[in-house]
Amino acid sequence: MKKCVAFLTALCFMLPFCWVTVGAQPSTSATAAVVYNPDSGEFLYAQNETQQLPMASTTKIMTALITLEQPNLDEVFTVDSQAIRVEGSSMGLTEGATVSLLDLAKGMLSVSGNDAANAAAVRIAGSLEGFAQLMNQKARELGLSNSHFVTPSGLHHDEHYTTAADLAKLAAAALDNELFAQICSSSTITATVNGQQRTYTNTNKLLSAYPDCIGVKTGFTDEAGRCLVSAARQDGVTLIAVTLHDPNDWADHTELLNYGFSQVEPVQLTTAGENVTLKVTGGNNAAITAVPGEELWRGILPEQLSQVEQRVYADPFLYAPVAVGEEVGRIEYYLNGRKLAQAPLLAAQECQQAQYTEEPPKQESWWDQFLSWLGLR
């Protein structure tokens, strides 16, 4: 269905308030840590959040995001033999291996394959150095002002660094990519290498250990220590936790996420009685009302309620008949330009096809109308 966009101005509709509760802040073993609410843009917890530190394989959040934004993700190619000669974790690529960019992203986000990261980088940019330029360009686009990328894998380099705050924002942007979100939330995933399927187990233990965990990425080097970016979603609210150089990261992330969810109450974006009017042609009514097809909740702040913008995407008019519950478009909610959520738009009333009991009057031609105007008819 061809879509046209009708932007409705920001709606100040009645929404249940969310509030922040007071509780004891967690303590971590990390050099730097944050809990980030991407819906509100608020840091619920911050510890040395702007300190520039190495981030090991959490780098692959950036590498995989850029990879998954490429065209022709399923196109199979032969990996560069030099690129895959890299130390550390691997998805098992060998010289002459054939694979797609999509499968390389799976290898990066599951078993943290350094060979996968390098192979994708050379395929996309022609060299590791060229890909690093793409990483830094993407960092600027995302507003990551305290980050600098040198390697696609995250292997140590003195000029390769980020901050806990930047890494949380990067993870939020990556989770907006549906393929990225699907891959990083999978405990096991299947990829095709050399025409054969292989199953990989995700290194992120929180996917099974923490309820509602949806990712994101582990990392370790001697210089960076243990690094972890995790995300979880409860009652429509997504929170992201980051720790850098943390010997006790699994336990710390459990505490950080629990603390974060104790601080935020979700806000309902879709409300009872909220409706959109859509035009209908060929029906017994000129228009119908439509409503969001599901309840949507997000963790925004009370003062942000009036800034929520509703956008409706639908045809300029519908063709009768239209049945109750029929999907007629979609509705999206934005805060400061960032999409919070979307839902299908469903018809709330029916519109039957118009029935003509007599032949409609014949339309006069312009010549007949001209003769009538001259009084010649």
Side-chain angles (χ1 to χ4, degrees), residues 25-188:
Q25 287 204 351
S27 60
T28 76
S29 302
T31 299
V34 297
V35 179
Y36 180 58
N37 179 354
D39 289 340
S40 66
E42 178 191 23
F43 286 96
L44 303 173
Y45 173 83
Q47 170 192 339
N48 298 328
E49 69 276 14
T50 60
Q51 183 176 345
Q52 294 175 345
L53 294 166
M55 63 289 207
S57 284
T58 60
T59 297
K60 295 187 181 81
I61 297 173
M62 176 66 86
T63 306
L65 175 59
I66 294 174
T67 298
L68 292 171
E69 290 177 339
Q70 302 305 306
N72 305 318
L73 288 177
D74 293 318
E75 182 179 341
V76 176
F77 63 94
T78 301
V79 299
D80 183 89
S81 58
Q82 293 299 318
I84 61 173
R85 293 178 183 174
V86 58
E87 63 180 301
S89 53
S90 168
M91 72 176 292
L93 299 177
T94 56
E95 186 172 351
T98 57
V99 71
S100 69
L101 286 177
L102 177 59
D103 289 318
L104 290 178
K106 293 177 180 179
M108 291 180 229
L109 295 176
S110 58
V111 292
S112 197
N114 292 338
D115 52 352
N118 279 10
V122 172
R123 173 67 174 179
I124 293 168
S127 67
L128 302 184
E129 295 77 15
F131 190 79
Q133 293 179 12
L134 295 181
M135 299 172 82
N136 289 310
Q137 177 182 335
K138 186 70 172 180
R140 289 190 294 271
E141 292 172 0
L142 296 175
L144 311 183
S145 57
N146 287 309
S147 299
H148 186 258
F149 295 89
V150 178
T151 72
S153 64
L155 288 177
H156 186 71
H157 188 288
D158 287 343
E159 296 302 316
H160 187 86
Y161 57 82
T162 189
T163 68
D166 276 4
L167 204 47
K169 294 176 182 178
L170 172 60
L175 288 171
D176 284 339
N177 183 295
E178 292 184 7
L179 276 175
F180 185 102
Q182 177 186 345
I183 295 170
C184 79
S185 65
S186 301
S187 296
T188 60

Side-chain angles (χ1 to χ4, degrees), residues 168-242:
K169 294 176 182 178
L170 172 60
L175 288 171
D176 284 339
N177 183 295
E178 292 184 7
L179 276 175
F180 185 102
Q182 177 186 345
I183 295 170
C184 79
S185 65
S186 301
S187 296
T188 60
I189 200 159
T190 300
T192 302
V193 180
N194 294 328
Q196 297 181 336
Q197 289 190 336
R198 300 180 183 180
T199 299
Y200 298 96
T201 300
N202 200 307
T203 58
N204 186 358
K205 295 180 181 179
L206 286 181
L207 289 172
S208 57
Y210 190 86
D212 307 311
C213 181
I214 57 170
V216 178
K217 188 70 190 74
T218 60
F220 173 79
T221 62
D222 290 340
E223 296 84 357
R226 295 180 62 86
C227 302
L228 181 60
V229 180
S230 67
R233 182 174 295 126
Q234 293 181 9
D235 299 324
V237 176
T238 298
L239 296 182
I240 296 169
V242 177

